[in-house]
Amino acid sequence: MAKDGCCSTTCLKNVLNFFNLIFLFAAVALVIVTVWKLGNQTELIDLTSATYSVLIDFLIVAGILLFLVSFLGCYGVIKENRRVLLVYIFILLFIVLLELMVAFLGYVYKENVDEELKVNLNRTMLESFGVDEAKTLAINVMQRKFSCCGAVQFEDWRYSVWKTSNMTRNLVPDSCCKTTTTGCGIRDHPSNIFYDGCLEKMEDEMKNGLMTIIFVGLSVGVSQIIGIVLGIQLYLKLKEEIDINELRRILHNTYVIQ
């Protein structure tokens, strides 16, 4: 029989199931927030390093695993199955480590994203526009989204492969235009195109996304540590009760034999 009190088996089961319910909702929120960020930046990811995309993928995997392990935890609690609880604890620990790793890598990447974009964005725009279909789409999306033109300034396009190879009469891509129409980039007057570069706006977008990744990874990961502690306590409590019952059985058999 479970003892009464805050550390009783019944109390631990109720509290752990409550946290499993929280984990269930947290998992759904984690996937929704991450996919929303990914959905907002799908095309832009082609202009970044693989690190950003991998961090998002890891968070989605962590959310799916957390969703599934919540049900496993509930089953282990209801059935008082120590083996299931042990699997639950280890999977939860793995998810926590994954989320904390994502948060750490997100922080490190955030500190370096400025330099990476300064080195790579202008080169990608000058060398890949009109050549690489995915990057061309990403650049057009970026310029329309941020109302910008070129990496640092609109004049950057004069030195691009797209322009120097005589692929167009346009001075800038049509996505630079304030009102996008086919061929509108033939004029680079400020009344027709955006003069601001895309670099700073892209940096802000990336940093905001990384801050979301860091916050989600840390907040969900830290809350799961409570679940691990409760799971261990319940596992030990069930083991203790089994040991006590076994001891009582031995003592009872000894008394009957005597």
Side-chain angles (χ1 to χ4, degrees):
M1 294 292 291
K3 297 178 182 179
D4 294 332
C6 63
C7 293
S8 68
T9 303
T10 302
C11 179
L12 285 173
K13 287 171 63 176
N14 290 336
V15 174
L16 186 53
N17 265 341
F18 172 74
F19 270 91
N20 279 324
L21 186 62
I22 291 176
F23 296 156
L24 188 64
F25 287 115
V28 174
L30 175 60
V31 173
I32 289 175
V33 169
T34 308
V35 170
W36 173 72
K37 273 292 178 185
L38 179 63
N40 262 357
Q41 300 173 344
T42 301
E43 295 88 354
L44 297 182
I45 286 175
D46 287 316
L47 301 178
T48 67
S49 69
T51 305
Y52 192 75
S53 179
V54 168
L55 291 178
I56 291 175
D57 290 341
F58 276 170
L59 272 188
I60 293 174
V61 170
I64 294 172
L65 286 176
L66 182 57
F67 183 83
L68 296 175
V69 83
S70 300
F71 290 101
L72 183 67
C74 288
Y75 176 83
V77 169
I78 293 171
K79 297 295 184 180
E80 296 188 0
N81 189 314
R82 290 189 302 136
R83 290 182 180 177
V84 172
L85 279 174
L86 200 58
V87 173
Y88 165 79
I89 291 166
F90 278 109
I91 296 178
L92 206 56
L93 180 60
F94 170 77
I95 298 172
V96 169
L97 292 176
L98 181 61
E99 289 166 342
L100 294 181
M101 180 195 72
V102 168
F104 173 75
L105 291 178
Y107 174 78
V108 172
Y109 185 48
K110 178 177 174 291
E111 297 302 305
N112 298 310
V113 71
D114 293 0
E115 289 303 316
E116 179 192 292
L117 286 175
K118 286 175 184 176
V119 171
N120 295 326
L121 185 60
N122 191 46
R123 183 177 63 191
T124 300
M125 295 177 76
L126 296 184
E127 296 177 359
S128 300
F129 190 84
V131 178
D132 184 307
E133 184 177 350
K135 286 184 169 58
T136 298
L137 173 63
I139 292 166
N140 282 328
V141 169
M142 177 182 66
Q143 293 192 144
R144 293 192 187 103
K145 180 175 182 178
F146 300 136
S147 300
C148 59
C149 187
V152 179
Q153 54 189 357
F154 75 95
E155 287 98 335
D156 293 342
W157 285 113
R158 297 175 184 175
Y159 312 102
S160 66
V161 172
W162 166 77
K163 182 61 183 173
T164 56
S165 61
N166 297 316
M167 295 171 60
T168 179
R169 293 177 58 200
N170 277 20
L171 297 176
V172 295
D174 292 340
S175 55
C176 284
C177 298
K178 295 180 178 179
T179 303
T180 305
T181 57
T182 302
C184 63
I186 199 168
R187 292 176 57 245
D188 61 3
H189 192 271
S191 64
N192 186 51
I193 68 167
F194 297 105
Y195 269 32
D196 293 333
C198 298
L199 182 60
E200 290 187 4
K201 297 180 179 180
M202 187 66 174
E203 287 177 1
D204 291 340
E205 180 77 359
M206 291 284 292
K207 286 183 177 180
N208 288 336
L210 288 167
M211 281 303 298
T212 300
I213 289 173
I214 294 168
F215 174 77
V216 169
L218 283 177
S219 58
V220 178
V222 169
S223 68
Q224 287 167 223
I225 295 175
I226 301 174
I228 293 173
V229 172
L230 291 171
I232 293 172
Q233 286 185 326
L234 181 58
Y235 175 87
L236 294 175
K237 194 70 176 176
L238 293 174
K239 185 178 184 300
E240 178 187 333
E241 290 183 1
I242 290 173
D243 291 341
I244 291 174
N245 290 334
E246 182 64 19
L247 179 60
R248 286 175 178 172
R249 185 185 66 79
I250 294 172
L251 292 174
H252 175 74
N253 290 341
T254 303
Y255 175 77
V256 170
I257 291 172
Q258 291 177 348

